Amino acid sequence: MAEPETTVLVTVTGPDKPGVTSVLLAALSRHGVDLLDVEQVVIRGRLTLGVLVTSPADPEDLQDQLEDAMATVGMEVAVEIGANSVAGARLSTHAVVVLGSPVTAKAFSSIARELAGQGVNIDAIRGIADYPVTGLELMITVPSGSPEAETRLRTGLAEVAARRNVDVAVERAGLARRAKRLIVFDVDSTLIQGEVIEMLAAHAGVEDEVRRVTEAAMRGELDFAESLRQRVATLAGLDATVIDEVADTIELTPGARTTIRTLRRLGFRCGVVSGGFRQVIEPLAHELELDFVQANTLEVVDGKLTGKVIGEIVDRPGKAVALRRFAADAGVPMEQTVAVGDGANDIDMLNAAGLGIAFNAKPALREVADAALSHPFLDAVLFILGVTREEVEAADARDGLLRRVPLR
């Protein structure tokens, strides 16, 4: 068996400036070493540059020359000589995304302590967002790849998240994370603010009655199909022009346009599956250039709502059926799909998706979701998928869109 290759780790620190990397590599090249790995991080204008190389014939001479070379650009250098097996290097097994407003040092310390307690190594940390929430991404290695170990990890981090008022999502690292190609959103209280049927009910003067039934259904205390029939029945006799009036007053959830615009740039197919109403949703879907729409249809006779819905009701099982149909139509495997929702009616859909995200969700959905977001910004979904705020803004700038103005 071959002996493990001896390597030298060179770490350069100091103020970030042009020419640092070229000076370092020029000094290394004079010793004829092979480059094995490079990593660079800049935080608040301060550079940390690490370079792993094969060991030269005289490591101590290399250290002396590196110190002299880096002094010319005002940088400090440290050289660590040791036996490391390059072949033994491992890819990170999981990505952990931490979102908060803010992410406090105490919260991050608790997360790091939980990871250490489970024998999990943090391989890399990077900032992925500073707006509208602070986002950090940790690439980690879980010593055991068993489902039990992953469950313990998710459970432990979820407890820390609840205690420290941050959101924490765990995903398997690697190609699978970056291979998602279809995303489906619930509409009411997810893609848009509020519940459409309550807006319609306000025009009929039955808003309180409808809200009580809606809340019971969202908590999973009432069968959705029956609850929908009860709520729609209260709208009987309402003038159909109210549908257009409500559609004109819909407000998107903050970050919704950014999220869909960015996902479309990445090649995602985007759709909505809603227990709401097609007459209200379709104009919005057209505006957002969505690929798929599935929703209920209100019956209208002689310009009035009859208090009934037409056709099969889109309920909890129906949402999962719609997701599978969208995936089949798009030629996307289910493991490459993402579903986002907020209520018990979304449970089957999130379970069916490759990644299920609970957005400001009821407890029944949070318990089964792969990730749970508690901040009211839909673009946090992008951060879960590994897209950074910097990437979003760079793409917007290239397309001539206005950059965001911080709210703080």
Side-chain angles (χ1 to χ4, degrees):
M1 179 181 293
E3 291 294 323
E5 188 172 46
T6 300
T7 59
V8 174
L9 176 62
V10 180
T11 305
V12 173
T13 57
D16 187 29
K17 64 185 73 173
V20 173
T21 303
S22 62
V23 170
L24 174 62
L25 294 180
L28 289 171
S29 66
R30 288 193 287 271
H31 284 263
V33 299
D34 293 329
L35 195 64
L36 302 176
D37 195 9
V38 179
E39 187 166 350
Q40 176 176 308
V41 177
V42 178
I43 301 178
R44 301 294 185 185
R46 186 165 183 84
L47 169 71
T48 298
L49 171 62
V51 181
L52 186 68
V53 300
T54 55
S55 178
D58 188 351
E60 293 184 358
D61 181 52
L62 170 66
Q63 180 169 358
D64 291 340
Q65 291 196 28
L66 287 176
E67 289 175 351
D68 292 341
M70 300 319 296
T72 66
V73 287
M75 305 296 285
E76 298 178 1
V77 62
V79 176
E80 180 182 343
I81 303 168
N84 297 295
S85 174
V86 175
R90 294 186 303 176
L91 294 174
S92 300
T93 61
H94 292 76
V96 175
V97 175
V98 183
L99 303 174
S101 184
V103 176
T104 65
K106 182 176 290 186
F108 193 80
S109 173
S110 296
I111 290 168
R113 191 160 51 247
E114 177 65 29
L115 292 173
Q118 295 196 29
V120 173
N121 186 64
I122 300 176
D123 305 321
I125 304 173
R126 66 167 180 161
I128 56 174
D130 64 346
Y131 171 90
V133 295
T134 299
L136 300 172
E137 180 186 75
L138 289 66
M139 301 307 298
I140 65 171
T141 299
V142 180
S144 169
S146 68
E148 293 78 14
E150 186 169 319
T151 298
R152 285 195 301 273
L153 176 65
R154 292 179 185 276
T155 301
L157 290 177
E159 292 173 355
V160 173
R163 193 167 66 249
R164 296 301 184 192
N165 196 32
V166 293
D167 293 333
V168 179
V170 180
E171 289 187 75
R172 287 192 172 276
L175 293 177
R177 186 184 184 209
R178 300 191 297 273
K180 304 293 189 297
R181 285 297 172 264
L182 183 147
I183 188 165
V184 169
F185 297 91
D186 172 47
V187 177
D188 292 357
S189 299
T190 300
L191 187 66
I192 69 171
Q193 300 181 64
E195 301 282 328
V196 167
I197 195 166
E198 292 181 6
M199 300 176 196
L200 292 170
H203 287 269
V206 293
E207 187 176 13
D208 290 342
E209 179 182 347
V210 166
R211 183 182 292 114
R212 284 194 296 272
V213 180
T214 298
E215 290 173 352
M218 295 296 284
R219 292 192 300 267
E221 299 171 359
L222 187 65
D223 172 77
F224 178 82
E226 179 57 33
S227 74
L228 183 67
R229 293 188 186 96
Q230 289 182 23
R231 289 175 289 174
V232 172
T234 66
L235 306 179
L238 197 62
D239 196 299
T241 58
V242 169
I243 296 175
D244 295 332
E245 294 174 14
V246 168
D248 290 340
T249 63
I250 284 177
E251 294 185 21
L252 288 167
T253 297
R257 292 185 190 277
T258 298
T259 302
I260 292 174
R261 180 173 68 243
T262 302
L263 292 173
R264 289 182 61 82
R265 285 180 179 138
L266 292 171
F268 272 72
R269 304 292 294 277
C270 303
V272 290
V273 180
S274 176
F277 309 111
R278 182 176 289 273
Q279 292 101 317
V280 176
I281 294 169
E282 281 189 334
L284 179 64
H286 178 74
E287 178 187 345
L288 295 175
E289 300 182 30
L290 299 181
D291 301 292
F292 307 103
V293 177
Q294 182 69 39
N296 295 302
T297 303
L298 291 166
E299 184 180 59
V300 178
V301 176
D302 297 330
K304 302 287 185 180
L305 299 185
T306 66
K308 299 178 182 179
V309 293
I310 300 173
E312 188 174 351
I313 289 177
V314 180
D315 56 5
R316 172 172 160 175
K319 286 192 169 188
V321 170
L323 172 61
R324 291 190 177 95
R325 185 172 68 253
F326 292 167
D329 291 346
V332 175
M334 286 301 294
E335 58 267 23
Q336 293 180 359
T337 65
V338 182
V340 186
D342 74 305
N345 196 37
D346 299 309
I347 287 176
D348 291 6
M349 181 173 72
L350 264 65
N351 278 334
L355 175 65
I357 301 176
F359 181 74
N360 289 304
K362 308 301 184 293
L365 186 64
R366 293 178 67 91
E367 290 173 3
V368 303
D370 297 308
L373 299 173
S374 60
H375 295 88
F377 309 105
L378 199 60
D379 39 354
V381 169
L382 297 173
F383 310 144
I384 297 293
L385 296 173
V387 180
T388 69
R389 171 58 63 183
E390 185 177 20
E391 290 170 323
V392 172
E393 293 189 348
D396 282 349
R398 285 195 300 270
D399 289 349
L401 299 175
L402 291 175
R403 293 171 66 85
R404 52 90 171 173
V405 177
L407 298 178
R408 57 181 183 273

